[in-house]
Amino acid sequence: MNRLLAIVEREMRKFFRSPSLMVMSLISPILQLVIMGNAFGGKIVGTHVAVVDQDHGPQAVKVHEAFDAVAANIQTFSTIEYNNEVQAREDVRTGKIDAAVIIPPQYSRRVYAQDAPRIGIVVDNSDLFTSSTLESEMQSLVDSLNAPQVQDRLARSVALEVVELYPYVNYLKFLMPATVALSMYISVMIGGGILYLDDKARGVHEGYLVTPITKLELVFGLNIAGAIKAMLAGISLGVIGSLLAGLSVVFHPMQMLQLLALIVASSIAFNGMMFLFMVRVDDPLVPRAMFGVLNTLLFYPSGAMYPTTSFPKWLQALTIVDPFTYVIHGLKAVLLKNGGWIAIWQDLAFLSIFGIASLLVATPLFKRTL
Amino acid sequence: MSAVSHPVMDHGHAPARPAAIAVEHIWKRYGDFEAVKDVNFSVAEGEIFGLLGPNGAGKSTLIRMMTTLIPVTAGKAVVGGHDVSRDPDDVRCAIGVIPQAMTSDPDLTVEENLSIYAKLYGVPRGAREKNISDVLDAVDLAKWRGAQTKTLSGGMRRRLEIARGLVHNPRIFFLDEPTTGLDPVSRIAVWEMLNKLKVTRNLTMLITTHYMEEADKLCDRIAIVDHGTLVALGTPVELKNSVAGANVVEVHFDRQDDAWQGRMESMDGVTSVVSEGGGFYRVITRSGSKTTMEIVELAARLGETLTSLSVQNTTLDDVFIHYTGRQLRDEQVKAVTFALPPRPGVRP
Ligand SMILES: Nc1ncnc2c1ncn2[C@@H]1O[C@H](COP(=O)(O)OP(=O)(O)O)[C@@H](O)[C@H]1O
Ligand SMILES: [Mg+2]
């Protein structure tokens, strides 16, 4: 027991002495999510759209007006007049402009004759986000042109809608469960993966192995220390993040207790998983290479950022065994919905069993010799 | 190269004290590769025993088997009266080990490094404080007790590791290349420290090294290891005497000619001639002055130029060459050139 505590003591002293692990496991999830959130969830503004008017009729003028309204209000794009369709296409292709709208000859006449009037849009579909945003923007403009009596109001209501969809605080709240989960994951990845193998390569373990420490003492010492580090990261981000995001969990003892229980179970699960992955690895490059792969494989399918219901079957199967799924589900239930124990007991059970089972599998694989 | 005469091999033999370490017909295989082949020796209590050999000879593999770090493939090792395969924990309690790599924790202080190990070794709480102070005094690090290990020099870190290996008062001490990578001054300081520890703590020590001088200065007995086998064993004096011929003549001809080797070997008193290339030869002879004269005459007769000529007493270098047919220094030079990529303006 004393030996086990000596291993924990060494790990914790090292942890507090070189704060890089702590800092990384707090900063990088925040960075990752804020940047990812803005990249995927943020609205697109400031693109350039060419307008090639080959009609010059009264209906074409209406289209121009609608575009000007967009430029003035939601600023998704501003327009540039072109008189050459070929040049406009070329400029989309070379990236000078993001899209080109072509109002064909006879457009106004067709509108009046109700003879299937068409407006063309040329987009660079290698840039999926910009092109789909512009397409949907154009679609709603075209829709509004089809209902001329409410055109102005609609344009303005589109602008309003976009502003209200991403109010800052709500977005922060939405990010909380994923941030807390990632902080624990990164702590385990760095502490239980990278630093663990660096120690092994430097011969720290060789030093342990010449002492009379038993295999179980060593395995549990390392894992208890790893889980404690992950818990500290999770608790720090849980508390600080909740205060910043205006979540009241910190002031409700029962909710706080549920949050703690989830963090403890998640830390055990993540740590057990990492120990199982690393138990037979000697090369310090392996965890570094695995970092990104595991992140993608475990975090994205967890439902943290995107709903999992639209996933293909194989990806949903991954979701079921992915501990991240349960961490995220539980944290959402506690932080955002205050769902009570009833909402998280299954998550707690899965995570605890997952963590302990990983350790049970890994322990016999752990070698007491070099 | 002259035929290798039989080494001073007296396997089980050691002075009439009980053996602290006994290794019998020990083997280590990694797949098909035999890293240690049928090695036998024993170390008496209170002895400093050296395993001398070039990189890759199998020294670390031997020490790792004796310290329970890797399983023994065949044969047995008894350390402190306990079989390493059957009672590894008893062995671990009886020994202190300094692995080849620096394994002290740079993020912890000197004292923390020691106290963690005192706990790992199960030193009772009441004795820890005293043990730590004692070993710190013994290695002259008492005033660095609170310092972060990463601020220590290489020599000081090595001394800390020596202290760490002694914190539970073991009787037998294993050190794998304790001075490799240290500057000459630190190296001598470590030697002095080990000699002092041997006396004050009544330690038995097993040291591996690839420095001749270290083995010569420090060890009571030396085993020369090469390619996983033990090729010679004895006290430094015994080993030097075992090389027939009392002198080494180093001769450097202006150019290389393979015919000279045979001519020198046939000279009276010469026991072996080793060519080192470029016209450079090491000639072992019973009479340095006589052989020197004959070589000079030979050169004069053939009209060859001698660049240099010197006479020395036999050293462990000659012993090593005698038993392995190679020079230990060559391996070192190779190892260094390999480790350091060539830099402009620096010739290895
Ligand atoms: N784990 C291992 N697997 C395969 N070969 C090994 C292993 N450890 C050592 N060896 C080989 O055994 C030989 C002896 O190595 P070692 O005992 O480290 O030499 P030394 O300490 O004398 O420099 C070397 O050729 C080395 O490559
Ligand atoms: Mg070695």
Side-chain angles (χ1 to χ4, degrees), chain A residues 319-350:
Chain A
T319 302
I320 292 171
V321 293
D322 178 1
F324 251 114
T325 308
Y326 302 87
V327 179
I328 295 287
H329 179 266
L331 287 171
K332 274 187 177 166
V334 171
L335 290 173
L336 304 182
K337 304 176 194 163
N338 192 10
W341 293 104
I342 193 91
I344 60 168
W345 76 266
Q346 283 176 317
D347 302 316
L348 289 175
F350 178 90

mmCIF file of all heavy atoms in Angstrom, chain A residues 319-350:
data_model
loop_
_atom_site.group_PDB
_atom_site.id
_atom_site.type_symbol
_atom_site.label_atom_id
_atom_site.label_comp_id
_atom_site.label_asym_id
_atom_site.label_seq_id
_atom_site.Cartn_x
_atom_site.Cartn_y
_atom_site.Cartn_z
ATOM 1 N N THR A 319 -20.546 4.549 -31.864
ATOM 2 C CA THR A 319 -21.117 5.435 -30.860
ATOM 3 C C THR A 319 -21.506 4.684 -29.592
ATOM 4 O O THR A 319 -21.336 5.181 -28.486
ATOM 5 C CB THR A 319 -22.360 6.113 -31.461
ATOM 6 O OG1 THR A 319 -21.960 6.801 -32.625
ATOM 7 C CG2 THR A 319 -22.992 7.067 -30.487
ATOM 8 N N ILE A 320 -21.997 3.454 -29.780
ATOM 9 C CA ILE A 320 -22.493 2.692 -28.630
ATOM 10 C C ILE A 320 -21.370 2.274 -27.689
ATOM 11 O O ILE A 320 -21.528 2.286 -26.475
ATOM 12 C CB ILE A 320 -23.295 1.460 -29.120
ATOM 13 C CG1 ILE A 320 -24.589 1.948 -29.786
ATOM 14 C CG2 ILE A 320 -23.616 0.522 -27.963
ATOM 15 C CD1 ILE A 320 -25.350 0.869 -30.492
ATOM 16 N N VAL A 321 -20.184 1.930 -28.239
ATOM 17 C CA VAL A 321 -19.094 1.504 -27.358
ATOM 18 C C VAL A 321 -18.166 2.649 -26.973
ATOM 19 O O VAL A 321 -17.252 2.465 -26.179
ATOM 20 C CB VAL A 321 -18.246 0.388 -28.013
ATOM 21 C CG1 VAL A 321 -19.056 -0.882 -28.168
ATOM 22 C CG2 VAL A 321 -17.689 0.852 -29.351
ATOM 23 N N ASP A 322 -18.394 3.815 -27.519
ATOM 24 C CA ASP A 322 -17.514 4.960 -27.300
ATOM 25 C C ASP A 322 -17.808 5.600 -25.934
ATOM 26 O O ASP A 322 -18.902 6.112 -25.717
ATOM 27 C CB ASP A 322 -17.777 5.966 -28.431
ATOM 28 C CG ASP A 322 -16.948 7.221 -28.280
ATOM 29 O OD1 ASP A 322 -16.156 7.300 -27.325
ATOM 30 O OD2 ASP A 322 -17.105 8.123 -29.128
ATOM 31 N N PRO A 323 -16.855 5.559 -24.998
ATOM 32 C CA PRO A 323 -17.147 6.155 -23.681
ATOM 33 C C PRO A 323 -17.514 7.636 -23.774
ATOM 34 O O PRO A 323 -18.288 8.140 -22.947
ATOM 35 C CB PRO A 323 -15.849 5.960 -22.895
ATOM 36 C CG PRO A 323 -14.805 5.600 -23.884
ATOM 37 C CD PRO A 323 -15.497 4.993 -25.050
ATOM 38 N N PHE A 324 -16.978 8.321 -24.790
ATOM 39 C CA PHE A 324 -17.295 9.742 -24.961
ATOM 40 C C PHE A 324 -18.805 9.963 -25.042
ATOM 41 O O PHE A 324 -19.333 10.951 -24.527
ATOM 42 C CB PHE A 324 -16.656 10.268 -26.256
ATOM 43 C CG PHE A 324 -15.505 11.196 -26.013
ATOM 44 C CD1 PHE A 324 -14.223 10.846 -26.381
ATOM 45 C CD2 PHE A 324 -15.707 12.425 -25.414
ATOM 46 C CE1 PHE A 324 -13.154 11.688 -26.161
ATOM 47 C CE2 PHE A 324 -14.644 13.282 -25.197
ATOM 48 C CZ PHE A 324 -13.366 12.906 -25.568
ATOM 49 N N THR A 325 -19.509 9.051 -25.723
ATOM 50 C CA THR A 325 -20.956 9.192 -25.886
ATOM 51 C C THR A 325 -21.637 9.344 -24.527
ATOM 52 O O THR A 325 -22.507 10.203 -24.342
ATOM 53 C CB THR A 325 -21.522 7.937 -26.584
ATOM 54 O OG1 THR A 325 -20.763 7.702 -27.764
ATOM 55 C CG2 THR A 325 -22.982 8.121 -26.924
ATOM 56 N N TYR A 326 -21.210 8.512 -23.574
ATOM 57 C CA TYR A 326 -21.867 8.500 -22.266
ATOM 58 C C TYR A 326 -21.428 9.694 -21.433
ATOM 59 O O TYR A 326 -22.214 10.254 -20.672
ATOM 60 C CB TYR A 326 -21.577 7.176 -21.568
ATOM 61 C CG TYR A 326 -22.058 6.009 -22.405
ATOM 62 C CD1 TYR A 326 -21.250 5.442 -23.382
ATOM 63 C CD2 TYR A 326 -23.354 5.523 -22.262
ATOM 64 C CE1 TYR A 326 -21.695 4.410 -24.189
ATOM 65 C CE2 TYR A 326 -23.823 4.489 -23.058
ATOM 66 C CZ TYR A 326 -22.984 3.937 -24.028
ATOM 67 O OH TYR A 326 -23.444 2.929 -24.830
ATOM 68 N N VAL A 327 -20.166 10.068 -21.596
ATOM 69 C CA VAL A 327 -19.696 11.253 -20.885
ATOM 70 C C VAL A 327 -20.508 12.466 -21.338
ATOM 71 O O VAL A 327 -21.028 13.240 -20.521
ATOM 72 C CB VAL A 327 -18.189 11.496 -21.153
ATOM 73 C CG1 VAL A 327 -17.717 12.745 -20.432
ATOM 74 C CG2 VAL A 327 -17.364 10.287 -20.722
ATOM 75 N N ILE A 328 -20.639 12.611 -22.660
ATOM 76 C CA ILE A 328 -21.356 13.759 -23.213
ATOM 77 C C ILE A 328 -22.835 13.705 -22.825
ATOM 78 O O ILE A 328 -23.413 14.705 -22.370
ATOM 79 C CB ILE A 328 -21.225 13.775 -24.756
ATOM 80 C CG1 ILE A 328 -19.767 14.002 -25.170
ATOM 81 C CG2 ILE A 328 -22.146 14.816 -25.369
ATOM 82 C CD1 ILE A 328 -19.265 15.405 -24.953
ATOM 83 N N HIS A 329 -23.422 12.550 -22.947
ATOM 84 C CA HIS A 329 -24.836 12.432 -22.595
ATOM 85 C C HIS A 329 -25.063 12.820 -21.138
ATOM 86 O O HIS A 329 -25.959 13.607 -20.811
ATOM 87 C CB HIS A 329 -25.343 11.007 -22.845
ATOM 88 C CG HIS A 329 -26.777 10.823 -22.474
ATOM 89 N ND1 HIS A 329 -27.175 10.353 -21.240
ATOM 90 C CD2 HIS A 329 -27.916 11.088 -23.161
ATOM 91 C CE1 HIS A 329 -28.491 10.322 -21.192
ATOM 92 N NE2 HIS A 329 -28.971 10.769 -22.346
ATOM 93 N N GLY A 330 -24.232 12.268 -20.262
ATOM 94 C CA GLY A 330 -24.384 12.564 -18.845
ATOM 95 C C GLY A 330 -24.170 14.039 -18.542
ATOM 96 O O GLY A 330 -24.957 14.660 -17.818
ATOM 97 N N LEU A 331 -23.106 14.609 -19.127
ATOM 98 C CA LEU A 331 -22.808 16.014 -18.837
ATOM 99 C C LEU A 331 -23.915 16.925 -19.367
ATOM 100 O O LEU A 331 -24.278 17.914 -18.730
ATOM 101 C CB LEU A 331 -21.458 16.406 -19.448
ATOM 102 C CG LEU A 331 -20.230 15.821 -18.727
ATOM 103 C CD1 LEU A 331 -18.965 16.090 -19.520
ATOM 104 C CD2 LEU A 331 -20.098 16.404 -17.317
ATOM 105 N N LYS A 332 -24.456 16.591 -20.534
ATOM 106 C CA LYS A 332 -25.561 17.397 -21.055
ATOM 107 C C LYS A 332 -26.749 17.336 -20.105
ATOM 108 O O LYS A 332 -27.378 18.345 -19.800
ATOM 109 C CB LYS A 332 -25.993 16.876 -22.436
ATOM 110 C CG LYS A 332 -25.191 17.465 -23.575
ATOM 111 C CD LYS A 332 -25.783 17.035 -24.912
ATOM 112 C CE LYS A 332 -25.016 17.684 -26.059
ATOM 113 N NZ LYS A 332 -25.335 17.054 -27.343
ATOM 114 N N ALA A 333 -27.017 16.116 -19.621
ATOM 115 C CA ALA A 333 -28.169 15.944 -18.736
ATOM 116 C C ALA A 333 -27.993 16.759 -17.462
ATOM 117 O O ALA A 333 -28.936 17.391 -16.979
ATOM 118 C CB ALA A 333 -28.349 14.463 -18.404
ATOM 119 N N VAL A 334 -26.770 16.771 -16.908
ATOM 120 C CA VAL A 334 -26.561 17.492 -15.653
ATOM 121 C C VAL A 334 -26.446 18.997 -15.882
ATOM 122 O O VAL A 334 -27.089 19.799 -15.199
ATOM 123 C CB VAL A 334 -25.288 16.978 -14.939
ATOM 124 C CG1 VAL A 334 -24.937 17.873 -13.760
ATOM 125 C CG2 VAL A 334 -25.493 15.553 -14.481
ATOM 126 N N LEU A 335 -25.638 19.377 -16.865
ATOM 127 C CA LEU A 335 -25.311 20.800 -17.017
ATOM 128 C C LEU A 335 -26.427 21.585 -17.701
ATOM 129 O O LEU A 335 -26.715 22.717 -17.337
ATOM 130 C CB LEU A 335 -24.018 20.959 -17.824
ATOM 131 C CG LEU A 335 -22.737 20.514 -17.122
ATOM 132 C CD1 LEU A 335 -21.561 20.569 -18.088
ATOM 133 C CD2 LEU A 335 -22.469 21.381 -15.902
ATOM 134 N N LEU A 336 -27.033 20.993 -18.718
ATOM 135 C CA LEU A 336 -27.973 21.768 -19.531
ATOM 136 C C LEU A 336 -29.423 21.478 -19.194
ATOM 137 O O LEU A 336 -30.282 22.327 -19.357
ATOM 138 C CB LEU A 336 -27.734 21.497 -21.021
ATOM 139 C CG LEU A 336 -26.318 21.769 -21.527
ATOM 140 C CD1 LEU A 336 -26.216 21.516 -23.021
ATOM 141 C CD2 LEU A 336 -25.886 23.193 -21.198
ATOM 142 N N LYS A 337 -29.707 20.245 -18.721
ATOM 143 C CA LYS A 337 -31.119 19.891 -18.544
ATOM 144 C C LYS A 337 -31.508 19.643 -17.098
ATOM 145 O O LYS A 337 -32.685 19.489 -16.803
ATOM 146 C CB LYS A 337 -31.424 18.622 -19.364
ATOM 147 C CG LYS A 337 -31.083 18.766 -20.834
ATOM 148 C CD LYS A 337 -31.311 17.448 -21.564
ATOM 149 C CE LYS A 337 -30.659 17.447 -22.931
ATOM 150 N NZ LYS A 337 -30.520 16.080 -23.466
ATOM 151 N N ASN A 338 -30.513 19.545 -16.199
ATOM 152 C CA ASN A 338 -30.787 19.205 -14.812
ATOM 153 C C ASN A 338 -31.723 18.001 -14.715
ATOM 154 O O ASN A 338 -32.767 18.045 -14.067
ATOM 155 C CB ASN A 338 -31.364 20.418 -14.076
ATOM 156 C CG ASN A 338 -31.378 20.187 -12.570
ATOM 157 O OD1 ASN A 338 -30.793 19.212 -12.078
ATOM 158 N ND2 ASN A 338 -32.050 21.064 -11.848
ATOM 159 N N GLY A 339 -31.323 16.945 -15.353
ATOM 160 C CA GLY A 339 -32.199 15.775 -15.440
ATOM 161 C C GLY A 339 -32.224 14.878 -14.214
ATOM 162 O O GLY A 339 -32.989 13.915 -14.163
ATOM 163 N N GLY A 340 -31.354 15.130 -13.229
ATOM 164 C CA GLY A 340 -31.356 14.304 -12.021
ATOM 165 C C GLY A 340 -30.638 12.976 -12.225
ATOM 166 O O GLY A 340 -30.182 12.657 -13.325
ATOM 167 N N TRP A 341 -30.551 12.199 -11.135
ATOM 168 C CA TRP A 341 -29.840 10.912 -11.185
ATOM 169 C C TRP A 341 -30.436 9.990 -12.232
ATOM 170 O O TRP A 341 -29.737 9.233 -12.885
ATOM 171 C CB TRP A 341 -29.868 10.218 -9.818
ATOM 172 C CG TRP A 341 -29.077 10.943 -8.779
ATOM 173 C CD1 TRP A 341 -29.570 11.706 -7.769
ATOM 174 C CD2 TRP A 341 -27.655 10.984 -8.653
ATOM 175 N NE1 TRP A 341 -28.543 12.231 -7.010
ATOM 176 C CE2 TRP A 341 -27.356 11.795 -7.531
ATOM 177 C CE3 TRP A 341 -26.596 10.432 -9.379
ATOM 178 C CZ2 TRP A 341 -26.058 12.061 -7.113
ATOM 179 C CZ3 TRP A 341 -25.307 10.684 -8.958
ATOM 180 C CH2 TRP A 341 -25.038 11.500 -7.844
ATOM 181 N N ILE A 342 -31.753 10.075 -12.365
ATOM 182 C CA ILE A 342 -32.437 9.161 -13.275
ATOM 183 C C ILE A 342 -31.912 9.308 -14.702
ATOM 184 O O ILE A 342 -31.855 8.349 -15.458
ATOM 185 C CB ILE A 342 -33.968 9.423 -13.212
ATOM 186 C CG1 ILE A 342 -34.752 8.299 -13.894
ATOM 187 C CG2 ILE A 342 -34.349 10.754 -13.818
ATOM 188 C CD1 ILE A 342 -35.117 7.231 -12.915
ATOM 189 N N ALA A 343 -31.481 10.531 -15.029
ATOM 190 C CA ALA A 343 -31.015 10.778 -16.400
ATOM 191 C C ALA A 343 -29.581 10.317 -16.619
ATOM 192 O O ALA A 343 -29.148 10.147 -17.749
ATOM 193 C CB ALA A 343 -31.134 12.266 -16.720
ATOM 194 N N ILE A 344 -28.827 10.127 -15.534
ATOM 195 C CA ILE A 344 -27.403 9.827 -15.730
ATOM 196 C C ILE A 344 -26.969 8.471 -15.187
ATOM 197 O O ILE A 344 -25.821 8.077 -15.376
ATOM 198 C CB ILE A 344 -26.491 10.915 -15.099
ATOM 199 C CG1 ILE A 344 -26.735 11.017 -13.604
ATOM 200 C CG2 ILE A 344 -26.676 12.241 -15.789
ATOM 201 C CD1 ILE A 344 -25.675 11.843 -12.888
ATOM 202 N N TRP A 345 -27.842 7.738 -14.534
ATOM 203 C CA TRP A 345 -27.351 6.517 -13.879
ATOM 204 C C TRP A 345 -26.794 5.521 -14.891
ATOM 205 O O TRP A 345 -25.820 4.838 -14.632
ATOM 206 C CB TRP A 345 -28.414 5.894 -12.971
ATOM 207 C CG TRP A 345 -29.510 5.143 -13.688
ATOM 208 C CD1 TRP A 345 -30.716 5.639 -14.065
ATOM 209 C CD2 TRP A 345 -29.486 3.769 -14.100
ATOM 210 N NE1 TRP A 345 -31.449 4.670 -14.704
ATOM 211 C CE2 TRP A 345 -30.716 3.509 -14.730
ATOM 212 C CE3 TRP A 345 -28.545 2.733 -14.004
ATOM 213 C CZ2 TRP A 345 -31.030 2.268 -15.274
ATOM 214 C CZ3 TRP A 345 -28.866 1.496 -14.542
ATOM 215 C CH2 TRP A 345 -30.100 1.266 -15.173
ATOM 216 N N GLN A 346 -27.404 5.483 -16.059
ATOM 217 C CA GLN A 346 -26.898 4.545 -17.067
ATOM 218 C C GLN A 346 -25.507 4.950 -17.549
ATOM 219 O O GLN A 346 -24.643 4.111 -17.777
ATOM 220 C CB GLN A 346 -27.852 4.471 -18.247
ATOM 221 C CG GLN A 346 -29.080 3.638 -17.933
ATOM 222 C CD GLN A 346 -30.080 3.638 -19.068
ATOM 223 O OE1 GLN A 346 -30.332 4.697 -19.655
ATOM 224 N NE2 GLN A 346 -30.640 2.485 -19.365
ATOM 225 N N ASP A 347 -25.320 6.261 -17.699
ATOM 226 C CA ASP A 347 -23.992 6.740 -18.097
ATOM 227 C C ASP A 347 -22.964 6.380 -17.033
ATOM 228 O O ASP A 347 -21.871 5.903 -17.338
ATOM 229 C CB ASP A 347 -24.021 8.258 -18.299
ATOM 230 C CG ASP A 347 -25.046 8.661 -19.342
ATOM 231 O OD1 ASP A 347 -25.107 7.989 -20.391
ATOM 232 O OD2 ASP A 347 -25.798 9.627 -19.112
ATOM 233 N N LEU A 348 -23.334 6.621 -15.768
ATOM 234 C CA LEU A 348 -22.410 6.308 -14.674
ATOM 235 C C LEU A 348 -22.069 4.827 -14.670
ATOM 236 O O LEU A 348 -20.901 4.448 -14.535
ATOM 237 C CB LEU A 348 -23.041 6.689 -13.324
ATOM 238 C CG LEU A 348 -23.160 8.181 -13.033
ATOM 239 C CD1 LEU A 348 -23.910 8.418 -11.729
ATOM 240 C CD2 LEU A 348 -21.781 8.814 -12.968
ATOM 241 N N ALA A 349 -23.083 4.004 -14.868
ATOM 242 C CA ALA A 349 -22.861 2.557 -14.831
ATOM 243 C C ALA A 349 -21.957 2.139 -15.984
ATOM 244 O O ALA A 349 -20.967 1.419 -15.790
ATOM 245 C CB ALA A 349 -24.191 1.819 -14.899
ATOM 246 N N PHE A 350 -22.271 2.618 -17.205
ATOM 247 C CA PHE A 350 -21.451 2.216 -18.348
ATOM 248 C C PHE A 350 -20.000 2.626 -18.137
ATOM 249 O O PHE A 350 -19.074 1.831 -18.330
ATOM 250 C CB PHE A 350 -21.967 2.838 -19.650
ATOM 251 C CG PHE A 350 -21.106 2.488 -20.833
ATOM 252 C CD1 PHE A 350 -21.361 1.353 -21.582
ATOM 253 C CD2 PHE A 350 -20.011 3.283 -21.188
ATOM 254 C CE1 PHE A 350 -20.549 1.008 -22.656
ATOM 255 C CE2 PHE A 350 -19.195 2.942 -22.257
ATOM 256 C CZ PHE A 350 -19.479 1.804 -22.996
#
